[in-house]
Amino acid sequence: MSVSRRALLATAAGAAALVPAAEASAAPATESGRPAAATLRTLTAAADYAVAKVRAVAPRVTGFPVGTRFEKWTYSRGGDWVGGFWPGTLWMAYLYSGDDSFRARAVESARNLAPRQSDTSTHDLGFLFYPSWVTAWRLTGDDEWRTGAIRAADSLIRRYNPRGEFIRAWGALTDTANAGRVIMDTMMNLDLLAFASRQTGDGRYLDIAAAHARTARRVFPRPDGSTPHVFDFDPDTGAPLGPATVQGYDASSCWSRGQAWGIYGFTTMYRRTGDTGFRDTARALADYAIAALTPDHVPVWDYRAPQQPYDVKDASAGAIMACGLLDLHAATGRSGYREAALRILTALAETCLTGNSARAEAVVARCTRNRPAEDGVEISLPYADYYFLEGVLRVLRPADVDRAIDLSQPS
């Protein structure tokens, strides 16, 4: 008797016990709004651990980490879509430690992405070039990085479809397959375009980013604030066709990492444009995701999959969500977003780090890359490490993170 993958996903493998929230997770902040001492101790210890782990592993890294196999990094030479996160992690380690060896390794790794500046086959140029090249320019002032990031933005805007006002996610420009496919992840690539507009004075980049974000705001959020992973358009007319998924359970579910991309991405677009509609969309997505968290504060891979809340986790979704919530707190002044972010970061620090394994090369465990494809369940992922460090440093060293990625609010 054969069983489909969807059927396997719909059948609980057994109820996993929910990890109780630790005392620091339950009360992350004092009445003044500052993190409680226990939370600060937990996050400082996590940052110390993360930087020590990166320092130990970095000399053995031979490419761009894409995920772990038996707790060891596997690599892409060209960077795949995740190439920016290893140099980004090195930059975060440099900011925290002041150790120039991290800076030197970040520069060396980022330079290996140079051929991707002209890659028009992917929407992921923001993921590739913002945490690596934009951060390099902001921290070094070397114009090589600024120029390369703008070239990457030039490649990205070639994927814009003016009929539907969206940036297509996948496929070469000449490939008709997926020509009308838009995914939530693209919200995180738009800040590269905002950077290019600020640096060149050419508003075209930001105009395209804002147009895509308005389209995403119109078609992705459901009335309850949940979102699908994918939305399809007719590429010739721009007419909307409807939701779909690749990495979520189905078209009506809510893939937690996609939801996190949306929280962070819409908040960033509010910061770059001042359009309060983007801020309000981020709030709707955040409110849904916070309410959907289980008591252990680590997201399940899909908030609407049949097995939730007794399902495999995706710590990377938690790290991304925490960064977005800290951003959203700054954009709205609502303390609940910061408190939720602190609970998530504390939970990740207490239950998702690799400290119990002598062989682990990553910082964060309990990640899920693509559950429907049975690809990368309960592994480590480079973006989990990057966003976890970013989130922790947003709490411990916000001025340093601002130097690296620009946390400015609308004037």
Side-chain angles (χ1 to χ4, degrees), residues 59-238:
R60 304 195 298 271
V61 170
T62 59
F64 296 104
V66 297
T68 54
R69 181 176 174 80
F70 304 120
E71 300 184 284
K72 302 295 185 182
W73 285 124
T74 61
Y75 299 103
S76 164
R77 289 293 181 186
D80 197 73
W81 72 271
V82 299
F85 295 120
W86 175 245
T89 298
L90 292 165
W91 282 123
M92 291 293 153
Y94 165 69
L95 288 174
Y96 185 70
S97 67
D99 183 342
D100 282 335
S101 69
F102 288 125
R103 174 186 170 121
R105 291 185 188 281
V107 165
E108 179 184 15
S109 178
R111 282 209 173 102
N112 289 330
L113 288 171
R116 301 296 299 276
Q117 294 170 28
S118 58
D119 186 352
T120 62
S121 69
T122 178
H123 71 123
D124 287 315
L125 292 163
F127 284 130
L128 289 168
F129 284 92
Y130 203 101
S132 56
W133 285 56
V134 172
T135 294
W137 177 75
R138 290 181 61 82
L139 294 181
T140 70
D142 188 334
D143 202 53
E144 160 192 11
W145 307 111
R146 172 186 175 276
T147 301
I150 293 169
R151 287 197 192 105
D154 286 332
S155 297
L156 180 55
I157 61 174
R158 291 186 61 190
R159 300 184 65 77
Y160 180 65
N161 182 320
R163 293 175 295 278
E165 297 188 310
F166 62 82
I167 295 171
R168 66 174 290 184
W170 297 317
L173 297 178
T174 56
D175 185 359
T176 57
N178 295 316
R181 178 145 282 196
V182 176
I183 65 175
M184 182 61 83
D185 317 40
T186 305
M187 289 300 304
M188 291 294 291
N189 291 308
L190 302 181
D191 204 18
L192 179 67
L193 302 183
F195 171 80
S197 272
R198 290 195 304 277
Q199 294 303 311
T200 65
D202 185 346
R204 173 183 48 148
Y205 301 99
L206 185 58
D207 288 346
I208 287 173
H212 176 94
R214 286 192 299 269
T215 298
R217 179 177 69 190
R218 187 178 73 250
V219 302
F220 275 97
R222 304 182 183 109
D224 65 357
S226 66
T227 60
H229 175 209
V230 172
F231 197 94
D232 287 320
F233 294 84
D234 183 316
D236 297 321
T237 66

Side-chain angles (χ1 to χ4, degrees), residues 16 31 39 42 102 142 192 195 205 221 261 287 389:
E31 289 185 3
T39 300
T42 297
F102 288 125
D142 188 334
L192 179 67
F195 171 80
Y205 301 99
W261 294 138
D287 292 347
L389 254 181

Side-chain angles (χ1 to χ4, degrees), residues 172-360:
L173 297 178
T174 56
D175 185 359
T176 57
N178 295 316
R181 178 145 282 196
V182 176
I183 65 175
M184 182 61 83
D185 317 40
T186 305
M187 289 300 304
M188 291 294 291
N189 291 308
L190 302 181
D191 204 18
L192 179 67
L193 302 183
F195 171 80
S197 272
R198 290 195 304 277
Q199 294 303 311
T200 65
D202 185 346
R204 173 183 48 148
Y205 301 99
L206 185 58
D207 288 346
I208 287 173
H212 176 94
R214 286 192 299 269
T215 298
R217 179 177 69 190
R218 187 178 73 250
V219 302
F220 275 97
R222 304 182 183 109
D224 65 357
S226 66
T227 60
H229 175 209
V230 172
F231 197 94
D232 287 320
F233 294 84
D234 183 316
D236 297 321
T237 66
L241 300 179
T245 197
V246 173
Q247 291 188 254
Y249 177 78
D250 61 24
S252 64
S253 72
C254 185
W255 177 50
S256 61
R257 190 160 70 244
Q259 191 82 0
W261 294 138
I263 294 166
Y264 195 151
F266 277 111
T267 306
T268 299
M269 284 305 296
Y270 163 69
R271 292 196 293 108
R272 302 308 184 215
T273 66
D275 185 332
T276 57
F278 297 145
R279 180 197 62 197
D280 294 344
T281 299
R283 287 195 58 203
L285 271 59
D287 292 347
Y288 177 88
I290 292 169
L293 287 174
T294 49
D296 65 352
H297 305 296
V298 181
V300 294
W301 74 279
D302 190 307
Y303 295 125
R304 287 183 166 181
Q307 292 151 274
Q308 66 80 32
Y310 308 108
D311 209 337
V312 295
K313 299 290 187 174
D314 183 8
S316 75
I320 298 157
M321 179 179 169
C323 292
L325 290 174
L326 291 169
D327 226 4
L328 193 54
H329 165 254
T332 63
R334 293 179 178 266
S335 61
Y337 294 130
R338 181 174 174 81
E339 291 166 3
L342 291 172
R343 283 192 292 270
I344 294 167
L345 289 171
T346 303
L348 296 181
E350 292 175 339
T351 68
C352 296
L353 300 192
T354 58
N356 290 332
S357 172
R359 62 177 280 115

